[in-house]
PDB file of all heavy atoms in Angstrom:
ATOM      1  N   PHE A 287     -54.118 -67.054 -22.115  1.00  0.00           N
ATOM      2  CA  PHE A 287     -53.562 -65.864 -21.476  1.00  0.00           C
ATOM      3  C   PHE A 287     -52.516 -66.227 -20.419  1.00  0.00           C
ATOM      4  O   PHE A 287     -51.570 -65.476 -20.181  1.00  0.00           O
ATOM      5  CB  PHE A 287     -54.684 -65.040 -20.836  1.00  0.00           C
ATOM      6  CG  PHE A 287     -55.644 -64.454 -21.832  1.00  0.00           C
ATOM      7  CD1 PHE A 287     -56.986 -64.800 -21.804  1.00  0.00           C
ATOM      8  CD2 PHE A 287     -55.207 -63.565 -22.801  1.00  0.00           C
ATOM      9  CE1 PHE A 287     -57.880 -64.272 -22.729  1.00  0.00           C
ATOM     10  CE2 PHE A 287     -56.087 -63.029 -23.732  1.00  0.00           C
ATOM     11  CZ  PHE A 287     -57.428 -63.388 -23.692  1.00  0.00           C
ATOM     12  N   ASP A 288     -52.702 -67.384 -19.768  1.00  0.00           N
ATOM     13  CA  ASP A 288     -51.715 -67.814 -18.776  1.00  0.00           C
ATOM     14  C   ASP A 288     -50.376 -68.119 -19.442  1.00  0.00           C
ATOM     15  O   ASP A 288     -49.304 -67.743 -18.945  1.00  0.00           O
ATOM     16  CB  ASP A 288     -52.222 -69.026 -18.011  1.00  0.00           C
ATOM     17  CG  ASP A 288     -52.727 -70.131 -18.931  1.00  0.00           C
ATOM     18  OD1 ASP A 288     -52.779 -69.910 -20.158  1.00  0.00           O
ATOM     19  OD2 ASP A 288     -53.063 -71.219 -18.414  1.00  0.00           O
ATOM     20  N   SER A 289     -50.407 -68.773 -20.600  1.00  0.00           N
ATOM     21  CA  SER A 289     -49.171 -69.064 -21.331  1.00  0.00           C
ATOM     22  C   SER A 289     -48.521 -67.784 -21.843  1.00  0.00           C
ATOM     23  O   SER A 289     -47.295 -67.637 -21.802  1.00  0.00           O
ATOM     24  CB  SER A 289     -49.476 -69.997 -22.507  1.00  0.00           C
ATOM     25  OG  SER A 289     -49.982 -71.224 -22.049  1.00  0.00           O
ATOM     26  N   LEU A 290     -49.373 -66.866 -22.321  1.00  0.00           N
ATOM     27  CA  LEU A 290     -48.858 -65.591 -22.814  1.00  0.00           C
ATOM     28  C   LEU A 290     -48.146 -64.829 -21.699  1.00  0.00           C
ATOM     29  O   LEU A 290     -47.049 -64.287 -21.893  1.00  0.00           O
ATOM     30  CB  LEU A 290     -50.011 -64.755 -23.375  1.00  0.00           C
ATOM     31  CG  LEU A 290     -49.676 -63.330 -23.826  1.00  0.00           C
ATOM     32  CD1 LEU A 290     -48.704 -63.351 -24.994  1.00  0.00           C
ATOM     33  CD2 LEU A 290     -50.954 -62.582 -24.214  1.00  0.00           C
ATOM     34  N   ALA A 291     -48.755 -64.793 -20.515  1.00  0.00           N
ATOM     35  CA  ALA A 291     -48.172 -64.063 -19.390  1.00  0.00           C
ATOM     36  C   ALA A 291     -46.861 -64.700 -18.927  1.00  0.00           C
ATOM     37  O   ALA A 291     -45.876 -64.002 -18.644  1.00  0.00           O
ATOM     38  CB  ALA A 291     -49.166 -64.006 -18.233  1.00  0.00           C
ATOM     39  N   SER A 292     -46.837 -66.030 -18.863  1.00  0.00           N
ATOM     40  CA  SER A 292     -45.608 -66.701 -18.422  1.00  0.00           C
ATOM     41  C   SER A 292     -44.493 -66.533 -19.453  1.00  0.00           C
ATOM     42  O   SER A 292     -43.330 -66.327 -19.098  1.00  0.00           O
ATOM     43  CB  SER A 292     -45.890 -68.181 -18.174  1.00  0.00           C
ATOM     44  OG  SER A 292     -46.313 -68.821 -19.368  1.00  0.00           O
ATOM     45  N   PHE A 293     -44.857 -66.624 -20.724  1.00  0.00           N
ATOM     46  CA  PHE A 293     -43.881 -66.430 -21.792  1.00  0.00           C
ATOM     47  C   PHE A 293     -43.260 -65.045 -21.702  1.00  0.00           C
ATOM     48  O   PHE A 293     -42.034 -64.879 -21.757  1.00  0.00           O
ATOM     49  CB  PHE A 293     -44.575 -66.635 -23.133  1.00  0.00           C
ATOM     50  CG  PHE A 293     -43.645 -66.590 -24.321  1.00  0.00           C
ATOM     51  CD1 PHE A 293     -42.319 -66.982 -24.222  1.00  0.00           C
ATOM     52  CD2 PHE A 293     -44.110 -66.175 -25.556  1.00  0.00           C
ATOM     53  CE1 PHE A 293     -41.471 -66.956 -25.309  1.00  0.00           C
ATOM     54  CE2 PHE A 293     -43.270 -66.134 -26.658  1.00  0.00           C
ATOM     55  CZ  PHE A 293     -41.954 -66.528 -26.535  1.00  0.00           C
ATOM     56  N   SER A 294     -44.100 -64.018 -21.541  1.00  0.00           N
ATOM     57  CA  SER A 294     -43.609 -62.643 -21.450  1.00  0.00           C
ATOM     58  C   SER A 294     -42.718 -62.451 -20.224  1.00  0.00           C
ATOM     59  O   SER A 294     -41.661 -61.818 -20.298  1.00  0.00           O
ATOM     60  CB  SER A 294     -44.788 -61.676 -21.394  1.00  0.00           C
ATOM     61  OG  SER A 294     -44.358 -60.355 -21.154  1.00  0.00           O
ATOM     62  N   LEU A 295     -43.134 -63.021 -19.096  1.00  0.00           N
ATOM     63  CA  LEU A 295     -42.360 -62.865 -17.862  1.00  0.00           C
ATOM     64  C   LEU A 295     -40.962 -63.451 -18.008  1.00  0.00           C
ATOM     65  O   LEU A 295     -39.960 -62.807 -17.674  1.00  0.00           O
ATOM     66  CB  LEU A 295     -43.098 -63.545 -16.708  1.00  0.00           C
ATOM     67  CG  LEU A 295     -42.357 -63.570 -15.367  1.00  0.00           C
ATOM     68  CD1 LEU A 295     -42.134 -62.161 -14.839  1.00  0.00           C
ATOM     69  CD2 LEU A 295     -43.128 -64.411 -14.344  1.00  0.00           C
ATOM     70  N   PHE A 296     -40.874 -64.654 -18.547  1.00  0.00           N
ATOM     71  CA  PHE A 296     -39.568 -65.301 -18.648  1.00  0.00           C
ATOM     72  C   PHE A 296     -38.708 -64.686 -19.750  1.00  0.00           C
ATOM     73  O   PHE A 296     -37.476 -64.722 -19.668  1.00  0.00           O
ATOM     74  CB  PHE A 296     -39.736 -66.804 -18.850  1.00  0.00           C
ATOM     75  CG  PHE A 296     -40.157 -67.522 -17.599  1.00  0.00           C
ATOM     76  CD1 PHE A 296     -41.443 -68.005 -17.468  1.00  0.00           C
ATOM     77  CD2 PHE A 296     -39.280 -67.669 -16.535  1.00  0.00           C
ATOM     78  CE1 PHE A 296     -41.839 -68.655 -16.309  1.00  0.00           C
ATOM     79  CE2 PHE A 296     -39.662 -68.312 -15.374  1.00  0.00           C
ATOM     80  CZ  PHE A 296     -40.959 -68.812 -15.252  1.00  0.00           C
ATOM     81  N   LEU A 297     -39.337 -64.115 -20.748  1.00  0.00           N
ATOM     82  CA  LEU A 297     -38.572 -63.358 -21.740  1.00  0.00           C
ATOM     83  C   LEU A 297     -37.897 -62.153 -21.095  1.00  0.00           C
ATOM     84  O   LEU A 297     -36.725 -61.858 -21.353  1.00  0.00           O
ATOM     85  CB  LEU A 297     -39.490 -62.893 -22.877  1.00  0.00           C
ATOM     86  CG  LEU A 297     -39.757 -63.867 -24.026  1.00  0.00           C
ATOM     87  CD1 LEU A 297     -40.756 -63.250 -24.997  1.00  0.00           C
ATOM     88  CD2 LEU A 297     -38.480 -64.232 -24.746  1.00  0.00           C
ATOM     89  N   VAL A 298     -38.638 -61.426 -20.252  1.00  0.00           N
ATOM     90  CA  VAL A 298     -38.080 -60.251 -19.574  1.00  0.00           C
ATOM     91  C   VAL A 298     -36.982 -60.666 -18.608  1.00  0.00           C
ATOM     92  O   VAL A 298     -35.923 -60.033 -18.534  1.00  0.00           O
ATOM     93  CB  VAL A 298     -39.186 -59.465 -18.841  1.00  0.00           C
ATOM     94  CG1 VAL A 298     -38.578 -58.327 -18.028  1.00  0.00           C
ATOM     95  CG2 VAL A 298     -40.196 -58.912 -19.832  1.00  0.00           C
ATOM     96  N   ILE A 299     -37.216 -61.747 -17.863  1.00  0.00           N
ATOM     97  CA  ILE A 299     -36.194 -62.229 -16.927  1.00  0.00           C
ATOM     98  C   ILE A 299     -34.920 -62.604 -17.679  1.00  0.00           C
ATOM     99  O   ILE A 299     -33.805 -62.270 -17.267  1.00  0.00           O
ATOM    100  CB  ILE A 299     -36.725 -63.436 -16.127  1.00  0.00           C
ATOM    101  CG1 ILE A 299     -37.843 -62.985 -15.173  1.00  0.00           C
ATOM    102  CG2 ILE A 299     -35.595 -64.098 -15.337  1.00  0.00           C
ATOM    103  CD1 ILE A 299     -38.511 -64.133 -14.441  1.00  0.00           C
ATOM    104  N   SER A 300     -35.091 -63.313 -18.788  1.00  0.00           N
ATOM    105  CA  SER A 300     -33.936 -63.702 -19.600  1.00  0.00           C
ATOM    106  C   SER A 300     -33.194 -62.473 -20.124  1.00  0.00           C
ATOM    107  O   SER A 300     -31.955 -62.440 -20.137  1.00  0.00           O
ATOM    108  CB  SER A 300     -34.397 -64.574 -20.760  1.00  0.00           C
ATOM    109  OG  SER A 300     -33.312 -64.947 -21.573  1.00  0.00           O
ATOM    110  N   LYS A 301     -33.942 -61.452 -20.550  1.00  0.00           N
ATOM    111  CA  LYS A 301     -33.329 -60.224 -21.068  1.00  0.00           C
ATOM    112  C   LYS A 301     -32.542 -59.502 -19.976  1.00  0.00           C
ATOM    113  O   LYS A 301     -31.420 -59.033 -20.209  1.00  0.00           O
ATOM    114  CB  LYS A 301     -34.419 -59.306 -21.623  1.00  0.00           C
ATOM    115  CG  LYS A 301     -33.887 -58.032 -22.255  1.00  0.00           C
ATOM    116  CD  LYS A 301     -33.072 -58.323 -23.488  1.00  0.00           C
ATOM    117  CE  LYS A 301     -32.599 -57.049 -24.170  1.00  0.00           C
ATOM    118  NZ  LYS A 301     -31.745 -57.322 -25.328  1.00  0.00           N
ATOM    119  N   ILE A 302     -33.107 -59.430 -18.777  1.00  0.00           N
ATOM    120  CA  ILE A 302     -32.409 -58.780 -17.664  1.00  0.00           C
ATOM    121  C   ILE A 302     -31.123 -59.529 -17.338  1.00  0.00           C
ATOM    122  O   ILE A 302     -30.063 -58.927 -17.122  1.00  0.00           O
ATOM    123  CB  ILE A 302     -33.327 -58.704 -16.423  1.00  0.00           C
ATOM    124  CG1 ILE A 302     -34.452 -57.689 -16.667  1.00  0.00           C
ATOM    125  CG2 ILE A 302     -32.538 -58.330 -15.178  1.00  0.00           C
ATOM    126  CD1 ILE A 302     -35.471 -57.634 -15.555  1.00  0.00           C
ATOM    127  N   PHE A 303     -31.202 -60.837 -17.333  1.00  0.00           N
ATOM    128  CA  PHE A 303     -30.020 -61.635 -17.022  1.00  0.00           C
ATOM    129  C   PHE A 303     -28.946 -61.475 -18.086  1.00  0.00           C
ATOM    130  O   PHE A 303     -27.754 -61.372 -17.777  1.00  0.00           O
ATOM    131  CB  PHE A 303     -30.418 -63.100 -16.876  1.00  0.00           C
ATOM    132  CG  PHE A 303     -29.383 -63.934 -16.184  1.00  0.00           C
ATOM    133  CD1 PHE A 303     -29.259 -63.909 -14.808  1.00  0.00           C
ATOM    134  CD2 PHE A 303     -28.517 -64.731 -16.904  1.00  0.00           C
ATOM    135  CE1 PHE A 303     -28.296 -64.662 -14.165  1.00  0.00           C
ATOM    136  CE2 PHE A 303     -27.552 -65.490 -16.271  1.00  0.00           C
ATOM    137  CZ  PHE A 303     -27.447 -65.459 -14.886  1.00  0.00           C
ATOM    138  N   GLN A 304     -29.359 -61.429 -19.346  1.00  0.00           N
ATOM    139  CA  GLN A 304     -28.391 -61.232 -20.428  1.00  0.00           C
ATOM    140  C   GLN A 304     -27.739 -59.857 -20.345  1.00  0.00           C
ATOM    141  O   GLN A 304     -26.533 -59.715 -20.559  1.00  0.00           O
ATOM    142  CB  GLN A 304     -29.080 -61.406 -21.781  1.00  0.00           C
ATOM    143  CG  GLN A 304     -29.455 -62.841 -22.097  1.00  0.00           C
ATOM    144  CD  GLN A 304     -30.128 -62.969 -23.444  1.00  0.00           C
ATOM    145  OE1 GLN A 304     -29.630 -62.475 -24.444  1.00  0.00           O
ATOM    146  NE2 GLN A 304     -31.278 -63.626 -23.470  1.00  0.00           N
ATOM    147  N   ASN A 305     -28.537 -58.824 -20.041  1.00  0.00           N
ATOM    148  CA  ASN A 305     -27.981 -57.478 -19.893  1.00  0.00           C
ATOM    149  C   ASN A 305     -26.993 -57.421 -18.747  1.00  0.00           C
ATOM    150  O   ASN A 305     -25.943 -56.770 -18.831  1.00  0.00           O
ATOM    151  CB  ASN A 305     -29.100 -56.462 -19.667  1.00  0.00           C
ATOM    152  CG  ASN A 305     -29.766 -56.053 -20.957  1.00  0.00           C
ATOM    153  OD1 ASN A 305     -29.478 -56.613 -22.014  1.00  0.00           O
ATOM    154  ND2 ASN A 305     -30.671 -55.095 -20.896  1.00  0.00           N
ATOM    155  N   TYR A 306     -27.338 -58.085 -17.655  1.00  0.00           N
ATOM    156  CA  TYR A 306     -26.421 -58.131 -16.514  1.00  0.00           C
ATOM    157  C   TYR A 306     -25.107 -58.800 -16.925  1.00  0.00           C
ATOM    158  O   TYR A 306     -24.015 -58.325 -16.578  1.00  0.00           O
ATOM    159  CB  TYR A 306     -27.060 -58.900 -15.369  1.00  0.00           C
ATOM    160  CG  TYR A 306     -26.132 -59.099 -14.185  1.00  0.00           C
ATOM    161  CD1 TYR A 306     -25.974 -58.111 -13.225  1.00  0.00           C
ATOM    162  CD2 TYR A 306     -25.394 -60.272 -14.044  1.00  0.00           C
ATOM    163  CE1 TYR A 306     -25.120 -58.286 -12.153  1.00  0.00           C
ATOM    164  CE2 TYR A 306     -24.539 -60.457 -12.980  1.00  0.00           C
ATOM    165  CZ  TYR A 306     -24.403 -59.459 -12.030  1.00  0.00           C
ATOM    166  OH  TYR A 306     -23.546 -59.628 -10.978  1.00  0.00           O
ATOM    167  N   THR A 307     -25.227 -59.886 -17.679  1.00  0.00           N
ATOM    168  CA  THR A 307     -24.036 -60.587 -18.152  1.00  0.00           C
ATOM    169  C   THR A 307     -23.167 -59.686 -19.014  1.00  0.00           C
ATOM    170  O   THR A 307     -21.948 -59.608 -18.844  1.00  0.00           O
ATOM    171  CB  THR A 307     -24.446 -61.831 -18.959  1.00  0.00           C
ATOM    172  OG1 THR A 307     -25.231 -62.680 -18.130  1.00  0.00           O
ATOM    173  CG2 THR A 307     -23.229 -62.588 -19.434  1.00  0.00           C
ATOM    174  N   HIS A 308     -23.788 -58.954 -19.950  1.00  0.00           N
ATOM    175  CA  HIS A 308     -23.038 -58.045 -20.817  1.00  0.00           C
ATOM    176  C   HIS A 308     -22.369 -56.947 -20.004  1.00  0.00           C
ATOM    177  O   HIS A 308     -21.190 -56.641 -20.194  1.00  0.00           O
ATOM    178  CB  HIS A 308     -23.976 -57.420 -21.855  1.00  0.00           C
ATOM    179  CG  HIS A 308     -24.164 -58.256 -23.072  1.00  0.00           C
ATOM    180  ND1 HIS A 308     -23.195 -58.405 -24.042  1.00  0.00           N
ATOM    181  CD2 HIS A 308     -25.211 -59.003 -23.479  1.00  0.00           C
ATOM    182  CE1 HIS A 308     -23.634 -59.204 -24.986  1.00  0.00           C
ATOM    183  NE2 HIS A 308     -24.857 -59.582 -24.679  1.00  0.00           N
ATOM    184  N   ASN A 309     -23.107 -56.350 -19.081  1.00  0.00           N
ATOM    185  CA  ASN A 309     -22.587 -55.196 -18.346  1.00  0.00           C
ATOM    186  C   ASN A 309     -21.498 -55.580 -17.357  1.00  0.00           C
ATOM    187  O   ASN A 309     -20.542 -54.839 -17.154  1.00  0.00           O
ATOM    188  CB  ASN A 309     -23.727 -54.489 -17.603  1.00  0.00           C
ATOM    189  CG  ASN A 309     -24.685 -53.810 -18.556  1.00  0.00           C
ATOM    190  OD1 ASN A 309     -24.306 -53.419 -19.646  1.00  0.00           O
ATOM    191  ND2 ASN A 309     -25.936 -53.677 -18.143  1.00  0.00           N
ATOM    192  N   LYS A 310     -21.631 -56.747 -16.724  1.00  0.00           N
ATOM    193  CA  LYS A 310     -20.706 -57.127 -15.667  1.00  0.00           C
ATOM    194  C   LYS A 310     -19.524 -57.951 -16.156  1.00  0.00           C
ATOM    195  O   LYS A 310     -18.456 -57.921 -15.577  1.00  0.00           O
ATOM    196  CB  LYS A 310     -21.450 -57.926 -14.582  1.00  0.00           C
ATOM    197  CG  LYS A 310     -22.533 -57.131 -13.873  1.00  0.00           C
ATOM    198  CD  LYS A 310     -21.961 -55.931 -13.137  1.00  0.00           C
ATOM    199  CE  LYS A 310     -23.052 -55.170 -12.413  1.00  0.00           C
ATOM    200  NZ  LYS A 310     -22.516 -53.965 -11.732  1.00  0.00           N
ATOM    201  N   ILE A 311     -19.714 -58.693 -17.235  1.00  0.00           N
ATOM    202  CA  ILE A 311     -18.661 -59.604 -17.687  1.00  0.00           C
ATOM    203  C   ILE A 311     -18.055 -59.172 -19.009  1.00  0.00           C
ATOM    204  O   ILE A 311     -16.841 -59.210 -19.202  1.00  0.00           O
ATOM    205  CB  ILE A 311     -19.210 -61.041 -17.807  1.00  0.00           C
ATOM    206  CG1 ILE A 311     -19.678 -61.520 -16.423  1.00  0.00           C
ATOM    207  CG2 ILE A 311     -18.163 -61.982 -18.346  1.00  0.00           C
ATOM    208  CD1 ILE A 311     -20.270 -62.916 -16.425  1.00  0.00           C
ATOM    209  N   LEU A 312     -18.875 -58.718 -19.948  1.00  0.00           N
ATOM    210  CA  LEU A 312     -18.389 -58.465 -21.297  1.00  0.00           C
ATOM    211  C   LEU A 312     -18.031 -57.016 -21.552  1.00  0.00           C
ATOM    212  O   LEU A 312     -17.525 -56.684 -22.611  1.00  0.00           O
ATOM    213  CB  LEU A 312     -19.439 -58.908 -22.318  1.00  0.00           C
ATOM    214  CG  LEU A 312     -19.909 -60.358 -22.183  1.00  0.00           C
ATOM    215  CD1 LEU A 312     -20.904 -60.680 -23.267  1.00  0.00           C
ATOM    216  CD2 LEU A 312     -18.743 -61.306 -22.233  1.00  0.00           C
ATOM    217  N   SER A 313     -18.309 -56.115 -20.615  1.00  0.00           N
ATOM    218  CA  SER A 313     -18.023 -54.697 -20.836  1.00  0.00           C
ATOM    219  C   SER A 313     -16.783 -54.316 -20.056  1.00  0.00           C
ATOM    220  O   SER A 313     -16.711 -54.532 -18.855  1.00  0.00           O
ATOM    221  CB  SER A 313     -19.209 -53.839 -20.388  1.00  0.00           C
ATOM    222  OG  SER A 313     -18.921 -52.487 -20.573  1.00  0.00           O
ATOM    223  N   PHE A 314     -15.791 -53.719 -20.723  1.00  0.00           N
ATOM    224  CA  PHE A 314     -14.511 -53.417 -20.093  1.00  0.00           C
ATOM    225  C   PHE A 314     -14.190 -51.935 -20.054  1.00  0.00           C
ATOM    226  O   PHE A 314     -13.253 -51.517 -19.395  1.00  0.00           O
ATOM    227  CB  PHE A 314     -13.382 -54.143 -20.826  1.00  0.00           C
ATOM    228  CG  PHE A 314     -13.566 -55.617 -20.856  1.00  0.00           C
ATOM    229  CD1 PHE A 314     -14.090 -56.223 -21.975  1.00  0.00           C
ATOM    230  CD2 PHE A 314     -13.256 -56.396 -19.765  1.00  0.00           C
ATOM    231  CE1 PHE A 314     -14.273 -57.584 -22.017  1.00  0.00           C
ATOM    232  CE2 PHE A 314     -13.432 -57.758 -19.791  1.00  0.00           C
ATOM    233  CZ  PHE A 314     -13.944 -58.357 -20.918  1.00  0.00           C
ATOM    234  N   ASP A 315     -14.941 -51.092 -20.784  1.00  0.00           N
ATOM    235  CA  ASP A 315     -14.569 -49.689 -20.857  1.00  0.00           C
ATOM    236  C   ASP A 315     -14.995 -48.906 -19.626  1.00  0.00           C
ATOM    237  O   ASP A 315     -14.754 -47.721 -19.523  1.00  0.00           O
ATOM    238  CB  ASP A 315     -15.141 -49.024 -22.108  1.00  0.00           C
ATOM    239  CG  ASP A 315     -16.658 -49.065 -22.160  1.00  0.00           C
ATOM    240  OD1 ASP A 315     -17.244 -49.734 -21.290  1.00  0.00           O
ATOM    241  OD2 ASP A 315     -17.233 -48.434 -23.065  1.00  0.00           O
ATOM    242  N   LYS A 316     -15.641 -49.583 -18.646  1.00  0.00           N
ATOM    243  CA  LYS A 316     -16.036 -48.872 -17.440  1.00  0.00           C
ATOM    244  C   LYS A 316     -14.810 -48.550 -16.590  1.00  0.00           C
ATOM    245  O   LYS A 316     -14.785 -47.565 -15.880  1.00  0.00           O
ATOM    246  CB  LYS A 316     -17.027 -49.730 -16.633  1.00  0.00           C
ATOM    247  CG  LYS A 316     -18.360 -49.905 -17.357  1.00  0.00           C
ATOM    248  CD  LYS A 316     -19.313 -50.747 -16.541  1.00  0.00           C
ATOM    249  CE  LYS A 316     -20.629 -50.911 -17.281  1.00  0.00           C
ATOM    250  NZ  LYS A 316     -21.594 -51.739 -16.541  1.00  0.00           N
ATOM    251  N   ASN A 317     -13.826 -49.430 -16.622  1.00  0.00           N
ATOM    252  CA  ASN A 317     -12.600 -49.179 -15.877  1.00  0.00           C
ATOM    253  C   ASN A 317     -11.447 -49.165 -16.858  1.00  0.00           C
ATOM    254  O   ASN A 317     -10.745 -50.141 -17.035  1.00  0.00           O
ATOM    255  CB  ASN A 317     -12.384 -50.253 -14.805  1.00  0.00           C
ATOM    256  CG  ASN A 317     -11.227 -49.901 -13.891  1.00  0.00           C
ATOM    257  OD1 ASN A 317     -10.516 -48.929 -14.122  1.00  0.00           O
ATOM    258  ND2 ASN A 317     -11.046 -50.680 -12.852  1.00  0.00           N
ATOM    259  N   TYR A 318     -11.266 -48.039 -17.499  1.00  0.00           N
ATOM    260  CA  TYR A 318     -10.292 -47.905 -18.585  1.00  0.00           C
ATOM    261  C   TYR A 318      -8.880 -48.185 -18.100  1.00  0.00           C
ATOM    262  O   TYR A 318      -8.074 -48.774 -18.799  1.00  0.00           O
ATOM    263  CB  TYR A 318     -10.397 -46.485 -19.120  1.00  0.00           C
ATOM    264  CG  TYR A 318      -9.602 -46.203 -20.361  1.00  0.00           C
ATOM    265  CD1 TYR A 318     -10.070 -46.579 -21.607  1.00  0.00           C
ATOM    266  CD2 TYR A 318      -8.395 -45.533 -20.292  1.00  0.00           C
ATOM    267  CE1 TYR A 318      -9.359 -46.289 -22.744  1.00  0.00           C
ATOM    268  CE2 TYR A 318      -7.678 -45.248 -21.433  1.00  0.00           C
ATOM    269  CZ  TYR A 318      -8.166 -45.629 -22.649  1.00  0.00           C
ATOM    270  OH  TYR A 318      -7.463 -45.354 -23.776  1.00  0.00           O
ATOM    271  N   LYS A 319      -8.600 -47.776 -16.859  1.00  0.00           N
ATOM    272  CA  LYS A 319      -7.249 -47.925 -16.331  1.00  0.00           C
ATOM    273  C   LYS A 319      -6.852 -49.398 -16.230  1.00  0.00           C
ATOM    274  O   LYS A 319      -5.699 -49.750 -16.446  1.00  0.00           O
ATOM    275  CB  LYS A 319      -7.172 -47.257 -14.956  1.00  0.00           C
ATOM    276  CG  LYS A 319      -5.793 -47.267 -14.337  1.00  0.00           C
ATOM    277  CD  LYS A 319      -5.798 -46.485 -13.039  1.00  0.00           C
ATOM    278  CE  LYS A 319      -4.445 -46.504 -12.367  1.00  0.00           C
ATOM    279  NZ  LYS A 319      -4.428 -45.734 -11.122  1.00  0.00           N
ATOM    280  N   SER A 320      -7.813 -50.270 -15.934  1.00  0.00           N
ATOM    281  CA  SER A 320      -7.485 -51.685 -15.807  1.00  0.00           C
ATOM    282  C   SER A 320      -7.581 -52.420 -17.134  1.00  0.00           C
ATOM    283  O   SER A 320      -7.207 -53.575 -17.235  1.00  0.00           O
ATOM    284  CB  SER A 320      -8.436 -52.345 -14.804  1.00  0.00           C
ATOM    285  OG  SER A 320      -9.747 -52.367 -15.308  1.00  0.00           O
ATOM    286  N   TYR A 321      -8.109 -51.760 -18.155  1.00  0.00           N
ATOM    287  CA  TYR A 321      -8.260 -52.432 -19.454  1.00  0.00           C
ATOM    288  C   TYR A 321      -6.943 -52.477 -20.198  1.00  0.00           C
ATOM    289  O   TYR A 321      -6.389 -53.522 -20.471  1.00  0.00           O
ATOM    290  CB  TYR A 321      -9.339 -51.711 -20.255  1.00  0.00           C
ATOM    291  CG  TYR A 321      -9.754 -52.425 -21.506  1.00  0.00           C
ATOM    292  CD1 TYR A 321      -9.457 -53.766 -21.713  1.00  0.00           C
ATOM    293  CD2 TYR A 321     -10.463 -51.768 -22.478  1.00  0.00           C
ATOM    294  CE1 TYR A 321      -9.854 -54.431 -22.846  1.00  0.00           C
ATOM    295  CE2 TYR A 321     -10.877 -52.424 -23.630  1.00  0.00           C
ATOM    296  CZ  TYR A 321     -10.559 -53.744 -23.802  1.00  0.00           C
ATOM    297  OH  TYR A 321     -10.955 -54.383 -24.936  1.00  0.00           O
ATOM    298  N   TYR A 322      -6.379 -51.317 -20.529  1.00  0.00           N
ATOM    299  CA  TYR A 322      -5.011 -51.296 -21.041  1.00  0.00           C
ATOM    300  C   TYR A 322      -4.329 -50.052 -20.496  1.00  0.00           C
ATOM    301  O   TYR A 322      -4.829 -48.949 -20.642  1.00  0.00           O
ATOM    302  CB  TYR A 322      -4.943 -51.352 -22.567  1.00  0.00           C
ATOM    303  CG  TYR A 322      -6.012 -50.611 -23.310  1.00  0.00           C
ATOM    304  CD1 TYR A 322      -5.913 -49.245 -23.556  1.00  0.00           C
ATOM    305  CD2 TYR A 322      -7.123 -51.277 -23.781  1.00  0.00           C
ATOM    306  CE1 TYR A 322      -6.897 -48.575 -24.253  1.00  0.00           C
ATOM    307  CE2 TYR A 322      -8.110 -50.612 -24.476  1.00  0.00           C
ATOM    308  CZ  TYR A 322      -7.988 -49.271 -24.712  1.00  0.00           C
ATOM    309  OH  TYR A 322      -8.962 -48.609 -25.399  1.00  0.00           O
TER     310      TYR A 322
END
């Protein structure tokens, strides 16, 4: 159960970090005026 809990925790942390990366770095339509 300890391994299961740690695995789940780090999966969620990794997912949050990836979402942050997508939203802050890879998404451009939030500021349309600066895109084109």
Side-chain angles (χ1 to χ4, degrees):
F287 294 119
D288 50 354
S289 298
L290 175 64
S292 62
F293 185 30
S294 173
L295 175 63
F296 286 107
L297 275 176
V298 174
I299 292 175
S300 179
K301 183 65 177 177
I302 290 175
F303 197 79
Q304 289 180 50
N305 279 7
Y306 175 83
T307 301
H308 274 286
N309 291 332
K310 297 298 181 182
I311 298 179
L312 305 182
S313 179
F314 302 99
D315 60 353
K316 293 180 180 179
N317 188 354
Y318 188 80
K319 184 175 178 179
S320 67
Y321 190 17
Y322 37 83

